[in-house]
Amino acid sequence: MTLKGLGINMSATPPKSTIWSYNFTLLLFINILINLGQQMLTPNMAKYMAFLGAAANLLGMASSIYALAALLTRPVSGPMADRFDKKKMLNYSLIGMSICTLGYCFTSSILLLLVLRFLHGVFFGFCSTLTMAIASQSLPEDKMTSGIAVYSLSQILAMAIAPTIGIYLIDTFSYGLLFMSAAALVAGGTALSYLIRFETASLTSIKEKQPEKVFNLRSMISFEALNPTMVIMMNTISYGTINSFMVLYGNKLKIAGIGTFFTVYAVSVLILRPLVSKLLDTLPIRYIVFPGGAVMMASFVLISMSTQLSTLLIAAVLFGIGNGITQPALQALALKSVAPERRGVASGTIYMGMDLGMTIGPALGGVIADVVGYQTMYLLCVIPIAIGFIIFILNPSAIKSSAKQG
């Protein structure tokens, strides 16, 4: 059966009634493969650092240096995504990610691992900016929030199964098989990226609207998108501790099957997003950000009190509900704050916030956990989310502009 027979529009740009253009559908599959590869690695890198002999306060560095490298690429990747051939840039970025992922098989020292993680983060920085920019340009304006919610499900779907698979591969076989499997998945996404296509007229129109100076401050950062991006950053600081330390936390509590936490979190988002995606296009964002953030805060309090798997799984559901509705709403608000020809810069700005959060969260979390333990560290994770509330409230222009998303 053809894609057209499945109800997928074969045009690169969708009609206003649907999000399912050819490019958007293809990007969804590409992102699933990429994120499967990444999510198999991320929760296990701190454990691999420990395997190589790293001290406890350095275990968060594998995640932090990766996010830092991605962060450093955003001022460049955003304007480049708006100005140059997105498809070729995405092809090359994915090839680099595949090589780096396979390269972990040959790391035998902490220094070499960190160097490779940095390079991996650089390629990921370009890749994630490009995929979101292409996806947003493939969506109709009136479906932006629900489209981004569906698009981000590729990452959630990966989180539902990839961490458990990664832990299984390590426990049953070896780190080498984990890295080779992840590299194969990213290579699959690389192959699919060559099938992306652009309508020549649309691409030419967007290029003609770009300023002559590609690299200036306005081309590197979308100031219009800063407020929602800062809220995203604060949420990501807390989220980064879950991604980096949950496996170690479960081991410390002697809880078997801790990988189930990621599965339950992801499944809760997968169930929730389709049910509320249409509401996300119409609700004022303050009705999403504040309840969603409050539920996330409750999940961290529960994590800090947990002594058994069942309690952690309830916390996973709560975090899935909170983050599942808050993240796409804030991302869509940021993307809709700029003209279509500046979506690459807006995408880069969003990921700057996420990368900065993923840089600060694991690094700071590792230091705090080393001093006061994981339980107190997770309790303190409510603070960044609360700061995000304050940032959002204290910016009247952001509140006004987000009073209606549709």
Side-chain angles (χ1 to χ4, degrees), residues 244-277:
S244 298
F245 299 111
M246 186 55 66
V247 173
L248 294 174
Y249 185 43
N251 291 343
K252 188 173 182 64
L253 293 175
K254 295 181 171 53
I255 295 176
I258 193 64
T260 314
F261 178 95
F262 298 99
T263 303
V264 170
Y265 160 71
V267 169
S268 67
V269 178
L270 286 170
I271 294 172
L272 177 72
R273 285 265 177 94
L275 296 177
V276 302
S277 61

Side-chain angles (χ1 to χ4, degrees), residues 78-86 89 206-214 341:
M80 287 181 69
D82 285 334
R83 189 72 180 181
F84 302 116
D85 190 322
K86 292 181 179 65
M89 290 175 62
I206 287 173
K207 283 185 176 181
E208 286 175 350
K209 293 180 182 179
Q210 300 306 312
E212 290 185 9
K213 291 183 179 179
V214 178
E341 63 269 15

Side-chain angles (χ1 to χ4, degrees), residues 262-314:
F262 298 99
T263 303
V264 170
Y265 160 71
V267 169
S268 67
V269 178
L270 286 170
I271 294 172
L272 177 72
R273 285 265 177 94
L275 296 177
V276 302
S277 61
K278 291 184 178 180
L279 288 176
L280 295 179
D281 281 321
T282 57
L283 281 177
I285 195 173
R286 61 182 179 273
Y287 294 159
I288 300 171
V289 171
F290 297 132
V295 174
M296 282 193 286
M297 292 170 73
S299 72
F300 280 105
V301 172
L302 197 55
I303 289 173
S304 71
M305 298 168 55
S306 297
T307 57
Q308 53 190 4
L309 183 60
S310 59
T311 313
L312 284 173
L313 296 185
I314 295 172

Side-chain angles (χ1 to χ4, degrees), residues 43-379:
N44 292 299
M45 292 310 292
K47 190 175 180 181
Y48 187 55
M49 286 275 287
F51 174 77
L52 292 178
N57 60 354
L58 293 177
L59 296 182
M61 286 298 295
S63 294
S64 291
I65 200 166
Y66 177 86
L68 176 62
L71 172 63
L72 294 175
T73 69
R74 303 304 183 185
V76 178
S77 64
M80 287 181 69
D82 285 334
R83 189 72 180 181
F84 302 116
D85 190 322
K86 292 181 179 65
K87 178 177 176 178
K88 287 184 179 179
M89 290 175 62
L90 181 60
N91 296 155
Y92 297 146
S93 299
L94 285 169
I95 290 171
M97 286 182 66
S98 301
I99 293 171
C100 288
T101 306
L102 187 61
Y104 294 133
C105 294
F106 308 101
T107 55
S108 57
S109 70
I110 296 170
L111 178 60
L112 182 58
L113 174 66
L114 293 178
V115 169
L116 202 55
R117 285 295 280 173
F118 184 87
L119 292 174
H120 194 173
V122 169
F123 289 118
F124 175 76
F126 277 96
C127 175
S128 52
T129 298
L130 289 159
T131 52
M132 181 175 282
I134 298 170
S136 67
Q137 288 177 358
S138 304
L139 290 167
E141 289 295 313
D142 63 333
K143 300 288 186 181
M144 183 67 68
T145 306
S146 57
I148 292 298
V150 171
Y151 171 77
S152 60
L153 281 180
S154 57
Q155 182 177 358
I156 303 301
L157 178 62
M159 185 176 282
I161 56 177
T164 303
I165 293 173
I167 293 169
Y168 171 77
L169 290 175
I170 291 171
D171 292 343
T172 308
F173 299 100
S174 65
Y175 283 104
L177 185 59
L178 168 67
F179 298 141
M180 286 188 286
S181 300
L185 289 166
V186 179
T190 305
L192 288 180
S193 72
Y194 282 88
L195 301 178
I196 293 173
R197 63 188 184 210
F198 291 101
E199 292 177 357
T200 304
S202 175
L203 186 61
T204 301
S205 174
I206 287 173
K207 283 185 176 181
E208 286 175 350
K209 293 180 182 179
Q210 300 306 312
E212 290 185 9
K213 291 183 179 179
V214 178
F215 300 111
N216 54 38
L217 189 59
R218 186 175 180 275
S219 73
M220 294 179 183
I221 299 175
S222 171
F223 292 98
E224 305 94 324
L226 274 184
N227 183 266
T229 294
M230 290 176 70
V231 181
I232 290 171
M233 180 187 75
M234 289 298 164
N235 291 345
T236 307
I237 288 174
S238 298
Y239 170 73
T241 63
I242 289 179
N243 238 18
S244 298
F245 299 111
M246 186 55 66
V247 173
L248 294 174
Y249 185 43
N251 291 343
K252 188 173 182 64
L253 293 175
K254 295 181 171 53
I255 295 176
I258 193 64
T260 314
F261 178 95
F262 298 99
T263 303
V264 170
Y265 160 71
V267 169
S268 67
V269 178
L270 286 170
I271 294 172
L272 177 72
R273 285 265 177 94
L275 296 177
V276 302
S277 61
K278 291 184 178 180
L279 288 176
L280 295 179
D281 281 321
T282 57
L283 281 177
I285 195 173
R286 61 182 179 273
Y287 294 159
I288 300 171
V289 171
F290 297 132
V295 174
M296 282 193 286
M297 292 170 73
S299 72
F300 280 105
V301 172
L302 197 55
I303 289 173
S304 71
M305 298 168 55
S306 297
T307 57
Q308 53 190 4
L309 183 60
S310 59
T311 313
L312 284 173
L313 296 185
I314 295 172
V317 172
L318 291 176
F319 189 75
I321 293 171
N323 196 45
I325 62 173
T326 303
Q327 190 85 336
L330 289 167
Q331 288 175 338
L333 176 63
L335 289 167
K336 291 174 72 173
S337 70
V338 300
E341 63 269 15
R342 281 178 50 79
R343 291 277 164 78
V345 176
S347 175
T349 303
I350 292 168
Y351 277 113
M352 265 188 231
M354 295 174 69
D355 294 337
L356 194 55
M358 283 300 294
T359 301
I360 296 171
L364 185 60
V367 173
I368 293 174
D370 195 37
V371 176
V372 298
Y374 289 113
Q375 289 181 311
T376 302
M377 178 200 72
Y378 279 121
L379 181 60

